[in-house]
């Protein structure tokens, strides 16, 4: 199974150097953090290749990232998980409270991670049966568009099945004494009764002596049989014509009526540390028992019906138990949880007494990070080898303000550097998803072509660094506010002036932003 995990997630081909190179495509700078996560990920691959006895004793080297907001902490963890094909979950430590108080309990992060792993594996398995699901959906859709209405041949009688006959009723009283609070339940019991085979055989013999009997009609050719065969041939020819039209999209605008699965939905409930996920599962089961999870008729277009039927057929083709087993294995061996804002639950030394929203949460997170078994609706999940990456700015508190036990569970600590002008310049130009490329693509959809000159990009980077130094340092997120302010008017007028080609020069940048940057009070609100 471990070899299968390595193969499925393509982990074996990722060396630490290649992991850093991939992260460089999206994240500027932060070499220390990239190297730390690359080594941590590679160690997980190495662990999966060891003997079981030694493998179980190797714990993941959890990482604590320290750095101001907007420098790439979350993006590093997200890109790492996507690169490795691992189940990934990002949570904020501030959303949890100590067990026994109203709010989310920390175990819910493991349930959410298992849900993400389940969906990931399920989608992969459904993609592997796409061709068969499309074929079945097409046949089902053709049955809806062109139902067969040919006449049945004489003599083809339906087989006699068991007949349930009532044998009586009786009452159940669990108290044996007649408690006034309980009412006995009347149950009607039936037993299968079959027709007398001897009588049936005699009937067949009598038919054999007659002029018209079922056996003769089935064996001897007749005009009716010929008509039925002709009808079937004509129906098949028409069905193939409909199939061709369906594949060409000529029937997409027609409507059909089909039966769709109706799953009862229940709102998310949070109650005093209780596991409401189990309650939701129980309610869903009760609703299905009373018919709440049945089917309902729905009139949709052929195009939409094709999607619904394909999804239903793919669901049938995938073995749910196999999905659960593989998802649990992948979550336990390669799952990654990114806990953001962990500095917000650190308790400063001048605080007196326990704090349920801070120290209490730390105490609850500790066993999850150390290794525990959490019950989910897909079965128990062990957290011994899940990789935890925590991050925080720690501008008010310090890592030493965390409880010592929790500090010990994050042995690797990396400090991320603040971003300056050169970093902003690289962010605007180098990454595959650079902001300049994003805005060029967005406005091109309106027929407006914009072109950033190198001097304009350099000026934008300098302005971002200047504003961060004078106001709050929010890192690369400052570039988003500056770019939006720069192109706000152009984005508003784009549909009216297209097609057009607008050069973004230094003068254009100064015209739109210089006054805001120099006016400190105005810049505080806008930038």
């Amino acid at each position: 199974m471990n070899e299968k995990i390595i193969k499925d997630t393509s982990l074996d081909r990722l060396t630490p150097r290649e992991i850093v190179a991939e992260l460089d495509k999206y994240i500027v700078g932060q070499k220390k953090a990239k190297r730390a996560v690359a080594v941590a990920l590679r160690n997980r691959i190495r662990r999966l290749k060891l003997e079981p006895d030694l493998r179980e004793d190797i714990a993941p080297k959890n990482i604590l990232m320290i750095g101001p907001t907007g420098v790439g902490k979350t993006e590093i963890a997200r890109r790492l998980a996507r690169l490795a094909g691992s189940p990934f979950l990002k949570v904020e430590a501030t959303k949890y409270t100590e067990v026994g108080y109203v709010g989310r309990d920390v175990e819910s992060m493991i349930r959410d991670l298992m849900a993400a792993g389940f969906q990931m594996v399920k989608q992969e398995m459904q993609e592997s049966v796409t061709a068969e699901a499309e074929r079945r959906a097409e046949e089902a859709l053709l049955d809806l568009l062109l139902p067969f209405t040919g006449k049945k041949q004489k003599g083809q009688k339906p087989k006699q099945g068991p007949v349930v006959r009532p044998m009586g009723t009786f009452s159940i009283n669990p108290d044996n004494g007649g408690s006034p609070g309980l009412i006995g339940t009347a149950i009607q019991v039936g037993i299968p009764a079959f027709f007398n085979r001897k009588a049936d055989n005699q009937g067949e013999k009598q038919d054999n002596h007659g002029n018209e009997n079922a056996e003769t009609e089935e064996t001897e050719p007749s005009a009716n049989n010929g008509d039925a065969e002709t009808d079937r041939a004509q129906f098949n020819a028409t069905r193939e014509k409909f199939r061709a039209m369906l594949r060409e999209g000529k029937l997409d605008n027609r409507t059909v009526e089909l039966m769709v699965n109706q799953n009862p939905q229940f709102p998310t409930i949070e109650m005093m540390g209780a596991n409401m996920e189990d309650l939701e599962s129980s309610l869903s089961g009760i609703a299905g028992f009373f018919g709440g999870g049945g089917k309902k008729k729905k009139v949709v277009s052929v195009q939409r019906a094709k999607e619904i039927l394909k999804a239903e057929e793919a669901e049938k083709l995938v073995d749910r138990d196999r999905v659960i087993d593989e998802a649990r294995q992948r979550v336990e061996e390669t799952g990654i949880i990114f806990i953001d804002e962990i500095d917000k639950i650190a308790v400063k030394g001048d605080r007196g007494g326990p704090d349920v929203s801070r120290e209490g949460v730390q105490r609850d997170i500790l066993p999850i990070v150390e290794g525990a078994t959490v019950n989910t609706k897909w079965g128990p999940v062990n957290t011994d080898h899940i990789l935890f990456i925590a991050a925080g700015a720690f501008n008010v508190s310090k890592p030493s303000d965390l409880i010592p036990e929790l500090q010990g569970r994050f042995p690797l600590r990396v400090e991320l550097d603040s971003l300056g002008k050169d970093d902003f310049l690289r962010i605007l130009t180098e990454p595959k998803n650079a902001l300049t490329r994003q805005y060029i693509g967005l406005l091109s959809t309106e027929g407006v072509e914009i072109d950033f000159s190198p001097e304009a990009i350099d000026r934008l980077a300098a302005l971002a660094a200047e504003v961060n130094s004078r106001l709050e340092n929010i890192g690369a997120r400052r570039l988003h506010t500056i770019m939006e302010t720069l192109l706000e008017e152009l984005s508003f007028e784009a549909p009216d002036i297209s097609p057009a080609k607008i050069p973004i020069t230094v003068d254009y940048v100064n015209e739109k932003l210089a006054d805001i940057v120099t006016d400190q009070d105005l810049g505080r609100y806008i930038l």
Side-chain angles (χ1 to χ4, degrees):
M1 177 63 76
N2 293 319
E3 290 76 10
K4 187 176 187 301
I5 291 176
I6 295 175
K7 182 179 179 181
D8 288 348
T9 56
S10 301
L11 289 173
D12 199 29
R13 64 176 175 81
L14 295 173
T15 65
R17 194 177 304 279
E18 290 173 342
I19 294 171
V20 172
E22 288 295 323
L23 293 176
D24 284 339
K25 295 179 181 178
Y26 302 96
I27 303 153
V28 171
Q30 315 303 352
K31 293 293 183 183
K32 293 180 181 178
K34 292 176 183 176
R35 288 171 66 92
V37 297
V39 171
L41 183 61
R42 188 64 182 181
N43 281 337
R44 310 193 83 192
I45 304 169
R46 295 165 179 157
R47 174 186 163 272
L48 293 174
K49 297 180 178 180
L50 296 176
E51 295 297 325
D53 294 339
L54 182 58
R55 184 170 63 235
E56 290 301 318
D57 294 331
I58 298 178
K61 304 304 182 289
N62 298 323
I63 303 170
L64 177 61
M65 294 184 182
I66 304 169
T69 182
V71 297
K73 301 187 296 293
T74 305
E75 191 66 16
I76 287 175
R78 182 182 292 114
R79 293 290 176 183
L80 183 73
R82 189 176 303 176
L83 187 63
S86 302
F88 174 77
L89 179 70
K90 176 187 179 294
V91 298
E92 287 77 31
T94 53
K95 71 193 296 184
Y96 300 105
T97 59
E98 186 177 354
V99 172
Y101 293 85
V102 176
R104 298 205 71 185
D105 65 288
V106 296
E107 289 187 352
S108 64
M109 71 173 68
I110 305 300
R111 293 192 286 268
D112 293 341
L113 180 66
M114 183 60 193
F118 178 83
Q119 291 299 327
M120 175 185 292
V121 175
K122 179 181 175 182
Q123 184 175 358
E124 291 175 1
M125 290 190 176
Q126 287 182 344
E127 289 175 356
S128 66
V129 296
T130 299
E132 178 63 18
E134 288 179 349
R135 187 192 67 80
R136 293 190 179 189
E138 185 180 79
E139 296 297 332
L141 191 54
L142 287 172
D143 290 340
L144 291 172
L145 291 169
L146 192 66
F148 181 68
T149 57
K151 296 180 180 179
K152 295 182 179 179
Q153 298 181 20
K154 288 185 177 181
Q156 292 183 346
K157 299 179 180 179
K159 295 182 179 179
Q160 296 290 348
V163 177
V164 178
R165 294 175 178 170
M167 78 179 261
T169 61
F170 62 92
S171 297
I172 298 176
N173 191 340
D175 290 339
N176 294 326
S179 172
L182 296 175
I183 302 175
T185 305
I187 300 178
Q188 189 175 28
V189 180
I191 58 174
F194 294 89
F195 290 109
N196 191 315
R197 297 300 303 169
K198 183 175 180 180
D200 292 342
N201 293 334
Q202 290 177 355
E204 291 177 0
K205 290 179 181 179
Q206 291 176 359
D207 287 341
N208 289 336
H209 292 293
N211 294 325
E212 295 180 2
N213 57 74
E215 187 175 349
T216 304
E217 290 177 355
E218 290 176 358
T219 57
E220 295 181 359
S222 65
N224 290 334
N225 286 343
D227 293 341
E229 292 177 359
T230 302
D231 292 343
R232 171 60 68 176
Q234 292 177 350
F235 171 77
N236 290 336
T238 306
R239 186 181 178 92
E240 292 305 315
K241 291 179 181 178
F242 267 71
R243 189 190 305 275
M245 295 171 64
L246 181 63
R247 292 178 178 178
E248 293 172 2
K250 296 179 180 179
L251 303 177
D252 286 351
N253 295 329
R254 292 186 57 176
T255 58
V256 292
E257 184 182 77
L258 73 160
M259 303 293 291
V260 297
N261 293 324
Q262 181 177 335
N263 296 321
Q265 299 293 327
F266 297 95
T268 303
I269 308 172
E270 301 289 349
M271 282 181 60
M272 298 193 180
N275 186 357
M276 302 312 297
E277 187 179 64
D278 294 339
L279 176 60
E280 179 184 345
S281 179
S282 301
L283 291 174
S284 300
I286 295 172
F289 180 78
F290 287 105
K295 290 178 174 287
K296 66 175 181 179
K297 290 183 179 180
K298 195 173 185 180
V299 178
V300 295
S301 66
V302 168
Q303 187 175 8
R304 177 59 181 155
K306 194 187 304 181
E307 298 173 0
I308 295 174
L309 293 171
K310 179 182 175 182
E312 289 186 354
E313 293 299 333
E315 187 85 23
K316 295 176 185 176
L317 289 169
V318 171
D319 184 359
R320 181 180 173 86
D321 292 335
R322 183 183 165 201
V323 173
I324 292 174
D325 292 340
E326 188 164 338
R328 186 188 304 116
Q329 182 81 4
R330 193 176 296 186
V331 165
E332 292 180 345
E333 300 293 348
T334 68
I336 300 175
I337 293 182
F338 181 78
I339 306 176
D340 203 3
E341 309 292 349
I342 197 168
D343 59 314
K344 303 302 187 297
I345 62 171
V347 179
K348 293 187 292 185
D350 56 351
R351 280 182 174 269
D355 190 333
V356 297
S357 64
R358 296 193 179 197
E359 187 175 345
V361 177
Q362 292 185 58
R363 288 195 299 266
D364 288 346
I365 289 178
L366 180 61
I368 302 295
V369 179
E370 285 182 337
T373 300
V374 177
N375 290 321
T376 71
K377 64 181 179 181
W378 295 280
V381 175
N382 188 275
T383 68
D384 286 342
H385 302 289
I386 293 176
L387 177 63
F388 290 88
I389 301 176
F394 289 100
N395 50 3
V396 177
S397 58
K398 305 182 297 296
S400 58
D401 291 331
L402 298 170
I403 60 176
E405 296 86 352
L406 190 59
Q407 293 181 48
R409 296 307 299 178
F410 290 91
L412 297 181
R413 297 184 184 180
V414 290
E415 187 172 354
L416 284 80
D417 303 322
S418 298
L419 302 177
K421 175 190 172 183
D422 294 339
D423 296 314
F424 290 141
L425 184 61
R426 295 178 59 194
I427 291 172
L428 287 171
T429 56
E430 291 184 9
K432 293 178 66 175
N433 58 345
L435 277 178
T436 51
R437 294 192 181 100
Q438 293 179 23
Y439 281 97
I440 289 172
L442 286 172
L443 290 174
S444 67
T445 61
E446 301 279 5
V448 176
E449 182 181 349
I450 60 174
D451 182 26
F452 289 90
S453 68
E455 295 79 11
I457 296 177
D458 186 83
R459 178 60 177 158
L460 288 171
L463 289 175
E466 180 183 348
V467 175
N468 270 350
S469 65
R470 290 193 291 104
L471 305 178
E472 292 80 7
N473 185 0
I474 60 174
R477 292 187 177 92
R478 185 71 67 186
L479 290 174
H480 291 271
T481 58
I482 286 181
M483 291 291 288
E484 278 293 326
T485 306
L486 174 70
L487 300 174
E488 179 184 8
E489 184 178 348
L490 186 58
S491 298
F492 184 82
E493 297 178 351
D496 301 324
I497 65 175
S498 64
K501 184 174 182 179
I502 309 295
I504 307 298
T505 62
V506 176
D507 294 336
Y508 187 92
V509 173
N510 289 332
E511 179 186 350
K512 300 295 182 183
L513 298 177
D515 293 339
I516 300 175
V517 173
T518 54
D519 189 342
Q520 194 166 4
D521 293 333
L522 182 60
R524 187 179 300 276
Y525 289 101
I526 296 179
L527 299 179

